[in-house]
Amino acid sequence: MMKKFVPSLVATAALLFVASAGVQAAQTYKDGTYTGKAQGKEGEIEVSVKVSAGKIANVEVVKHEDTEALMLGVIDNIVPEIVEKQTADGIDAVTGATMSSTGVLEAAKQALAQAKS
């Protein structure tokens, strides 16, 4: 009887550990609108991040000096990914727009650093 109990106890403990690790990984933020600035290819990029109910609700590139064509690809790809993943970490740059992508991501990270609770 003890042999059956030990494996199930180990399995339960492993599941609890994995579940708690997932909970710790989920970042919560303070509600509000936060702004970050970083260098793009041609100049400064300013990003506004809106947090609602502890989650990233919206990310907007407020100001930039980079080429519109480059920024459209960045905005269309990176901004939704930040909202979907609820972080600006671990997101790849748009091919051909690395500096603009990095600027948006760094500005978003700066804004989110202000929102961490």
Side-chain angles (χ1 to χ4, degrees), residues 77-78 81 85 88-95 101 105:
N77 290 287
I78 289 182
E81 196 169 351
K85 291 185 175 183
D89 293 323
I91 296 175
D92 293 330
V94 173
T95 303
S101 298
L105 289 168

Side-chain angles (χ1 to χ4, degrees), residues 9-99:
L9 181 61
V10 171
T12 302
L15 284 173
L16 287 173
F17 176 75
V18 170
S20 68
V23 169
Q24 290 174 350
Q27 177 69 51
T28 57
Y29 302 102
K30 293 181 281 187
D31 287 0
T33 302
Y34 305 92
T35 304
K37 296 177 183 180
Q39 183 65 37
K41 182 176 182 177
E42 301 294 329
E44 189 174 71
I45 295 175
E46 183 176 334
V47 172
S48 173
V49 177
K50 181 178 180 184
V51 176
S52 180
K55 294 184 179 257
I56 301 170
N58 187 42
V59 177
E60 181 181 356
V61 176
V62 178
K63 181 185 112 179
H64 70 84
E65 297 174 22
D66 290 6
T67 308
E68 282 297 321
L70 285 176
M71 287 305 292
L72 282 176
V74 171
I75 292 168
D76 289 348
N77 290 287
I78 289 182
V79 168
E81 196 169 351
I82 293 170
V83 176
E84 178 186 327
K85 291 185 175 183
Q86 292 293 299
T87 184
D89 293 323
I91 296 175
D92 293 330
V94 173
T95 303
T98 303
M99 293 174 73

